[in-house]
Amino acid sequence: ESRRSAIQALIVTGSGGLALLAAAALLVQVTGSESLFTHTQSGELLRAHPLYLPIVLCLLLAAFTKSAQFPFHFWLPGAMAAPTPVSAYLHSATMVKAGVYLVARMSPAVGGTQLWNWTIAAVGAFTMLGAAYRAVQETDLKKILAYSTVSALGTIFFLLGLGTLATLTAAVGYIVAHACYKGTLFLVTGIIDHQTGTRDVARLAGLRRVLPVTAVAGGLAALSMMGLPPFFGFLAKEIAYEAVLAQPLIPQVALGALVLASALLGLCGLLVGYAPFVGELPQD
């Protein structure tokens, strides 16, 4: 299973890497430079060029595959077969944020059009809601975290796609908050798995008695993931709500989608960081 998941991740993200290479070649052809700075200063030239459409499609293919956006989301939950510290690296702060970084970095060069903004926002919103719903259906702690990561990435893409200064700022805050609480919850899950031999939340209870420090860490991370004050997760989500409500197009619908996804992700935080530690230890 681990080998199959590794090959799947390699094929999907490798294909996205080839798409990024193609986009880079097209950008050089249009601007005559290999400098990202030159590309970001050539926005008008790029948007008016006949190669704009293939450049955008290649960039978005690269970003969506690397950051596990629909329909390429399936590889990231499969990658949870890796050891938990590796999963924390993959799912919280680093590798899967590469697509997010690509979109943010290239927005000054190719952004500002309906093709770019609406595609990113629509794919991000669909991934955000679909993965959040799937996450609360799972009972394996790592699967819950994996699908919630896909949803969080969708949220960030959704904010980037809306394209205002406020939503871009909110996306950066969300990246930092997600890295902090999700990395913690993955490591908490690894400790639970190591100490009990299971990640099935239906079989876990009362672990605060034998893992008190882990229980505190999991509880604090869960509170941040739920967006409760005074944690940074609260600040990040409040900034995101305000930014979405202030954007000019369908703010109420967008805010409703964001609040629904946040509520489901908050439930995921409870399932991972709180549920295994309350109640009584099972007798078996």
Side-chain angles (χ1 to χ4, degrees):
E1 179 183 358
S2 298
R3 186 173 297 175
R4 181 188 62 81
S5 298
I7 294 173
Q8 182 183 78
L10 178 63
I11 292 173
V12 175
T13 60
S15 299
L18 293 175
L20 180 58
L21 179 62
L26 293 174
L27 285 167
V28 171
Q29 183 175 341
V30 174
T31 65
S33 172
E34 298 177 1
S35 169
L36 273 175
F37 178 78
T38 301
H39 297 161
T40 56
Q41 300 300 310
S42 306
E44 292 185 7
L45 171 63
L46 287 167
R47 286 186 285 271
H49 200 277
L51 291 177
Y52 176 74
L53 177 60
I55 289 173
V56 167
L57 293 179
C58 288
L59 287 173
L60 292 182
L61 179 60
F64 291 161
T65 53
K66 182 62 73 173
S67 291
Q69 296 300 284
F70 179 85
F72 308 105
H73 60 287
F74 53 87
W75 75 263
L76 190 54
M80 72 166 213
T84 304
V86 178
S87 295
Y89 163 80
L90 287 174
H91 290 250
S92 62
T94 47
M95 177 181 170
V96 292
K97 298 296 198 311
V100 171
Y101 173 79
L102 176 63
V103 167
R105 187 66 184 270
M106 296 307 299
S107 287
V110 297
T113 66
Q114 290 188 352
L115 173 64
W116 178 263
N117 290 97
W118 280 104
T119 302
I120 294 171
V123 171
F126 188 84
T127 305
M128 172 181 71
L129 292 171
Y133 176 76
R134 178 64 186 274
V136 298
Q137 309 300 312
E138 298 292 342
T139 58
D140 185 300
L141 294 178
K142 286 184 74 173
K143 279 193 175 182
I144 294 172
L145 292 177
Y147 279 106
S148 69
T149 293
V150 175
S151 178
L153 292 168
T155 302
I156 298 169
F157 273 100
F158 177 58
L159 293 171
L160 291 175
L162 294 178
T164 67
L165 179 60
T167 57
L168 294 175
T169 303
V172 174
Y174 207 99
I175 289 172
V176 177
H178 175 258
C180 293
Y181 65 68
K182 188 56 65 65
T184 302
L185 288 174
F186 259 109
L187 293 176
V188 165
T189 296
I191 295 171
I192 292 174
D193 190 16
H194 182 270
Q195 295 296 103
T196 66
T198 182
R199 298 193 304 261
D200 187 348
V201 68
R203 299 179 57 193
L204 296 167
L207 293 181
R208 69 188 185 282
R209 300 181 183 277
V210 292
L211 298 172
V213 176
T214 307
V216 171
L220 293 176
L223 292 175
S224 183
M225 187 170 179
M226 292 170 64
L228 297 181
F231 299 96
F232 190 68
F234 164 77
L235 179 61
K237 290 188 177 184
E238 285 298 304
I239 294 174
Y241 296 153
E242 291 181 4
V244 169
L245 195 57
Q247 60 96 30
L249 299 174
I250 56 169
Q252 289 79 14
V253 174
L255 180 63
L258 187 59
V259 170
L260 176 59
S262 294
L264 292 174
L265 292 183
L267 177 57
C268 292
L270 286 175
L271 289 173
V272 178
Y274 179 76
F277 301 102
V278 298
E280 299 299 325
L281 283 168
Q283 299 301 315
D284 56 349

